[in-house]
Amino acid sequence: MLLSPLWVRVLDHLPILLCSYWTLATAAAAFTLTPGQFCPKFRSAVQLSAARGKLCSSTAEAQLGWLARLKVPQQWFLHFYVVGTACNSFLLYTTLPRSDTAGFSHEQVVTLLSLTLLEVHLIRRMLETAYIMHYPKGAKMHLIAYAFGLSYYLVLPLSCTPAAQLTTQNAYMSELHAPSWTSLAAQPQYLVGAGVFWAGNALQFWSHWILASLQRTTKQTQTTKSRAGNQYYKMPTGGPFYWISCPHYLAEIIIYMGLAILAGQQLPLTILILCWVVANLLLAAQPTHSWYRRHFPAYPRNRKALIPYLY
């Protein structure tokens, strides 16, 4: 792969840039989670980056003035997975060995496995968003959330790819020792990581299927009107919703926990990704849980927000 000197220089600094991206994003979410009233505009911007649909119209908007009116349809969520799948597919293609090479390096096998799992996850979410999820026509998300989401799904695959692979393919392919797949499969972190990853995907699909099956209706029976529009929402029940309000968020954490277990030793940025996912979904889960409890008088009091019996 022939690259200009300028591009090679940029790629040489890519690990630092990616590390900075995840560290700053996690710190912003963690800061917003802390109690206090200082930096209200910054907190509001971070809160809106995690808000969508029924939560998009919130008191946080009052701090942002005209910026609060910059919204896009929630259906544009599909764009995230289209961008993520395209970027991940390209990187997955570059990971495949060339015909004139001896085999796979250990790092390359882990990268290939991680990108393959991520590819399946992104394609599942893309198809799920396009054909299963039914967003109300009036549902919106803030432009801040949309812009950050696009950047997230561009940066995510890059963070699961060694920097050497992006600079010079020949240099990356020269240090090959061709470890066997069976020797890698015998190492518990790969089997455990992949198992946790698939368990998270199964839980997320189950949760989204239940949410998609909740028929929006204009009747007031067991429904409430969202402040985000003129749509009515039913109270989610059954399956994992028996224990928590946001099992799809818990599933997302489990998915990236599996990725970090599998690849954290060779791809340490996957650990930073997990930290951000946890912080961001903690930020999103509690307002969602509070919205349900506020709008449904019969909402189960023993149901937690994100972690059964704990939080």
Side-chain angles (χ1 to χ4, degrees):
M1 185 184 297
L2 299 177
L3 299 171
S4 68
L6 176 61
W7 184 238
V8 170
R9 240 183 260 119
V10 171
L11 292 177
D12 285 340
H13 291 87
L14 188 61
I16 296 175
L17 295 174
L18 292 174
C19 183
S20 300
Y21 176 93
W22 294 115
T23 301
L24 291 173
T26 304
F31 172 78
T32 306
L33 283 168
T34 59
Q37 301 299 322
F38 39 96
C39 299
K41 291 186 178 181
F42 177 78
R43 288 174 181 266
S44 297
V46 176
Q47 286 172 353
L48 286 177
S49 72
R52 57 193 63 92
K54 55 185 172 288
L55 297 179
C56 192
S57 296
S58 66
T59 55
E61 292 187 335
Q63 298 289 341
L64 297 179
W66 63 270
L67 287 173
R69 296 191 293 272
L70 300 178
K71 299 177 183 179
V72 298
Q74 192 179 1
Q75 292 175 333
W76 285 16
F77 221 79
L78 177 64
H79 299 174
F80 300 158
Y81 304 113
V82 172
V83 169
T85 300
C87 183
N88 194 78
S89 297
F90 172 76
L91 293 173
L92 184 58
Y93 172 77
T94 64
T95 304
L96 296 174
R98 288 167 25 184
S99 58
D100 58 346
T101 57
F104 292 90
S105 69
H106 183 85
E107 185 181 51
Q108 192 183 16
V109 170
V110 175
T111 301
L112 183 61
L113 182 56
S114 300
L115 290 177
T116 300
L117 291 176
L118 191 58
E119 183 83 355
V120 174
H121 169 66
L122 290 170
I123 291 175
R124 176 188 68 80
R125 289 293 292 122
M126 182 170 60
L127 295 176
E128 210 174 66
T129 304
Y131 298 110
I132 296 178
M133 303 302 293
H134 302 289
Y135 298 112
K137 290 184 179 180
K140 302 287 186 181
M141 64 176 161
H142 199 274
L143 186 61
I144 294 174
Y146 182 70
F148 183 80
L150 289 176
S151 72
Y152 172 83
Y153 282 100
L154 280 172
V155 170
L156 176 61
L158 288 170
S159 301
C160 295
T161 309
Q165 178 181 333
L166 302 172
T167 52
T168 54
Q169 183 79 356
N170 290 335
Y172 180 69
M173 300 294 291
S174 63
E175 300 178 358
L176 296 176
H177 307 289
S180 68
W181 285 89
T182 54
S183 66
L184 289 173
Q187 299 184 50
Q189 69 266 31
Y190 301 123
L191 293 176
V192 172
V196 171
F197 183 90
W198 289 120
N201 271 274
L203 175 60
Q204 192 172 65
F205 179 79
W206 186 18
S207 304
H208 285 157
W209 184 268
I210 292 173
L211 287 174
S213 67
L214 295 176
Q215 183 181 3
R216 269 70 175 184
T217 176
T218 56
K219 296 180 180 179
Q220 292 290 347
T221 306
Q222 292 298 314
T223 63
T224 185
K225 190 173 183 179
S226 167
R227 292 187 300 167
N230 59 356
Q231 301 293 326
Y232 290 83
Y233 294 87
K234 281 188 176 181
M235 180 174 66
T237 57
F241 288 96
Y242 177 82
W243 292 283
I244 53 177
S245 297
C246 305
H248 47 314
Y249 291 169
L250 176 61
E252 190 84 355
I253 292 173
I254 294 172
I255 287 168
Y256 287 100
M257 184 183 298
L259 193 63
I261 293 171
L262 186 150
Q265 187 174 356
Q266 286 78 24
L267 303 170
L269 285 178
T270 57
I271 298 174
L272 284 180
I273 295 171
L274 174 62
C275 291
W276 178 82
V277 169
V278 172
N280 181 64
L281 294 181
L282 283 173
L283 191 64
Q286 190 56 52
T288 301
H289 181 67
S290 299
W291 189 93
Y292 282 132
R293 296 190 67 174
R294 202 166 53 245
H295 290 84
F296 293 101
Y299 201 71
R301 293 296 171 184
N302 61 339
R303 189 182 297 183
K304 298 298 183 180
L306 187 63
I307 303 174
Y309 307 112
L310 296 177
Y311 176 81

